[in-house]
Amino acid sequence: MRYLVSASAAALVLAAVLAAAPRLAGAKDECGATPPDQEALKLVPCVAAGKDPDSKPSDRCCAAVKEIGERSPACLCAVLLSKIVRRVGVKPEVAITIPKRCDLADRPIGYKCGDYTMPSLQLKD
C-alpha cells in the first residue's frame, strides 16, 4: 500500500512538472514529434527502479522502456537522462541501467547512452 501511495505521488509530481515545464529546445528530434519530457510520462512505472539500482524494474516499466527503445534508442536515452526525470528524484546513473535490468537485448551498453557516458561512472586506467 505504501508503494502505491509513493508511486502515485511520484506520478502526480511528474505530471505536474511536465505540465509546468517549457519544451526542451533541441531535444525534440530524438523522439520525433514527441518531446522527451512527454515521452517520460510512459516511464512513471520506472520511478522506483530509477532511484534504486538494486530494485527489479516492474513488468510495466520494462514494457515501457522496451517500447520506447525499440522505436528509438536515442529517444530512450534522451528520456532517461532528461531534466524532467531528474526532477522526480530519478538518478540518471541509475536510470540508464534500467534497460539492462529489464534484460533488453537492444539497449545502451554499460553506462553509455548514445554518445553520453556518465562522468562519475567512467572507468579509470
Side-chain angles (χ1 to χ4, degrees), residues 40-117:
L41 281 174
K42 296 176 182 174
L43 298 183
V44 168
C46 299
V47 171
K51 293 179 180 182
D52 179 6
D54 297 321
S55 71
K56 180 173 177 1
S58 69
D59 291 342
R60 288 179 55 214
C61 170
C62 290
V65 168
K66 181 178 180 180
E67 186 264 322
I68 295 170
E70 284 179 346
R71 192 168 15 95
S72 170
C75 176
L76 179 60
C77 286
V79 171
L80 292 174
L81 298 173
S82 71
K83 290 178 184 176
I84 300 301
V85 169
R86 292 177 203 194
R87 287 185 185 149
V88 296
V90 170
K91 300 173 186 169
E93 66 272 18
V94 176
I96 65 171
T97 68
I98 293 173
K100 181 178 181 177
R101 289 187 281 148
C102 287
D103 294 323
L104 300 180
D106 187 21
R107 65 178 186 259
I109 302 301
Y111 293 103
K112 200 162 175 61
C113 207
D115 292 332
Y116 186 81
T117 302

Side-chain angles (χ1 to χ4, degrees), residues 28-44:
K28 196 171 180 179
D29 294 337
E30 288 97 347
C31 299
T34 307
D37 56 345
Q38 191 171 342
E39 284 290 322
L41 281 174
K42 296 176 182 174
L43 298 183
V44 168

Side-chain angles (χ1 to χ4, degrees), residues 1-21:
M1 182 67 160
R2 184 176 178 172
Y3 172 76
L4 286 174
V5 171
S6 178
S8 296
L12 288 174
V13 168
L14 181 60
V17 168
L18 289 173

